[in-house]
Amino acid sequence: MLARRPAATALAALVSRVCPPGITIAPTTTRLASSSSSSSEPAAWTPPGAADETRKPSVLERMSGRLPDGQSKFWHDECARRRDALMNMVSPGTVVLVPAAALNHVPGTRIPLPYRQEATFFYLTGVYKDSEMVAALECSADGKSVNYKLFCANEDAERQRWEGSRLGPKDQKTLMADCVEPLSNFPSYVREIHTQNRPVVLDAKMWHGHPYASQVLDPRHTTLAKDTTGRSHLEPVLGASVTYNLLESLVHELRWVKTPAEVEVMRASAEITTEAFNTCMGLSRPNMNERQISCLFEFLCRQEGAERMPYPQVVAGGNGACTIHYSDNNKKIFDGELVLMDAGCDFFGYASDVTRTWPIGGKFTDPQREVYEHVLEAHRECMEACVEGNTLRDVHKMSVHLLSRALSRMGIVQKSTQQIILRGLYKPYYPHSIGHWLGMDTHDVHTISAIRPFVEGTVLTIEPGLYLPRNVHEIPSQYRGIGIRLEDDIVVSGGGREPEVLSAAIPVEVDEVEAQVGSLLDAAVGGGRPGTLSVYHN
């Protein structure tokens, strides 16, 4: 069985981050206590920025200098190795053109919407936040080196007044590119490589709607056309040497196997998610609204350095958990109901994706516990199967067998396990795959097949579930309205070692879950004193 971090250890770790310095929660009673037991007065806490040797360093502090923040030499060296690897996959003399994601605005205003960098651009350049850039990666004629050129927008005082400063041609040292030129030079650069008849690799989808699309794509084609294979694309005009549908698959091959530096960032992303999950479970109580848990989770992730949520979190109480991508997040959760939360965070471009299901009142009913333990068995065995040589399809088949057997044993489908599998009778109750690749995107990367054997550095999710809607009368009445999914983030290890579970510190065993739910409520109330965690309880 995969080793898991004890719940008490996880609780102690999260408390050190959530509580102000100088205030602790006893691990056995989880009650708020000052550092001096002889005084009934609340303990004074250390102001932000003051020295506190007992405070646990934040994720941002621990990873200083090793984050893809656009200014880390460590990460720029990592990106240089990626560019070299990509150049080894193309012919000598090739130029790869990659635009940054566009900055979108609130309609009718100059207010910028939250920005998310295009994953391919970020992967190859390490530039995380800035838009209005184009990267040109030039493979040498002998194929032995790569010239990294960036085209950046010039300074715009008026735009800077509204949207703040951004990187530009003056920031070559920060950007660590071999050459940085104004973006206005890009059209002449395109004409130059066209004149030289150099091979060009790009992804036409990335250029659709780009201000310089007419420089690399046929301006006569303003809508997607179909090629002879039926695939949609915009027709390029850089000559017959252009390959417009290859870049995505090449980069996805590289992104599928995570380097140690990437795994380190993904551990950090999972750590932030883990502590947020543990706190949300610890502060759960009957009659909470789903939005309270959802907002608390996002707040906790963002205060630890997460830039955004990689997808809309699911916080579904009761029968809502039977909707896979439930998004209302606005209903009251009553005593006796389960709450399913599927959430993660985006930490410097790398996503975490975790799901837990727990009883809002702290105790599973007998039918809930029965269904939960069947899903937990599938979850545990499928995680253990995430080793080199196996495939995602192999693991999915294992989950189908285990969950079909569960449906048969509980009498939800009154057929043998074999008949349930052969006739697909499990699909109404388990309609999704066992998992997906994970990385810069939540489903990272979609071009890699589920029959590809796992290798060291493969990162994926494992997420079995059973969904038993209240309105399906063929389901025995005691199980109706129960929806359970359990999901963890897994790194495949090499050398025959067991996989690493990045989110292992979130309770998942029945007894651990019941012990965690509501365990922080006494501390959260805090006697109603200002500065305590009582805000979470309201």
Side-chain angles (χ1 to χ4, degrees), residues 456-474:
E456 182 177 5
T458 301
V459 181
L460 68 156
T461 68
I462 291 296
E463 48 180 311
L466 284 176
Y467 311 94
L468 312 174
R470 186 175 294 151
N471 61 351
V472 179
H473 299 294
E474 292 80 6

Side-chain angles (χ1 to χ4, degrees), residues 369-442:
R369 184 176 185 132
E370 184 180 3
V371 178
Y372 186 96
E373 288 181 335
H374 281 299
V375 175
L376 179 60
E377 179 187 17
H379 179 256
R380 187 185 299 118
E381 293 198 22
C382 289
M383 287 198 303
E384 292 176 351
C386 293
V387 296
E388 289 181 299
N390 284 344
T391 70
L392 195 55
R393 179 175 291 181
D394 295 335
V395 181
H396 180 68
K397 288 180 179 178
M398 176 185 293
S399 72
V400 167
H401 173 78
L402 293 168
L403 295 176
S404 295
R405 186 177 67 184
L407 291 169
S408 179
R409 288 179 175 178
M410 290 186 290
I412 294 170
V413 181
Q414 296 183 6
K415 301 288 183 182
S416 68
T417 300
Q418 184 178 18
Q419 283 298 310
I420 292 173
I421 295 172
L422 290 175
R423 297 168 61 181
L425 301 178
Y426 63 89
K427 292 181 180 179
Y429 312 106
Y430 178 42
H432 55 76
S433 173
I434 186 59
H436 53 80
W437 315 127
L438 185 67
M440 288 183 167
D441 294 321
T442 306

Side-chain angles (χ1 to χ4, degrees), residues 96-100 118 121 133-136 151 183 186 190 200-217 224 234 236 238 243-244 247:
V96 176
L97 299 178
V98 189
E118 208 290 322
F121 184 87
M133 290 185 178
V134 175
F151 295 90
L183 190 56
F186 182 69
V190 172
V200 176
V201 172
L202 54 84
D203 184 345
K205 297 190 299 296
M206 294 171 59
W207 288 94
H208 183 48
H210 191 277
Y212 285 106
S214 62
Q215 306 299 319
V216 295
L217 305 171
L224 291 175
L234 288 165
L238 278 169
T243 305
Y244 56 84
L247 180 60

Side-chain angles (χ1 to χ4, degrees), residues 502-523:
L502 298 180
S503 43
I506 308 174
V508 70
E509 299 294 333
V510 170
D511 293 343
E512 290 183 349
V513 170
E514 291 183 338
Q516 180 69 14
V517 175
S519 62
L520 299 180
L521 283 175
D522 289 342

Side-chain angles (χ1 to χ4, degrees), residues 290 316-322 333 337-340 470 481-483:
E290 295 163 347
N319 191 64
C322 298
I333 311 167
E337 290 187 323
L338 299 175
V339 56
L340 181 155
R470 186 175 294 151
I482 296 176

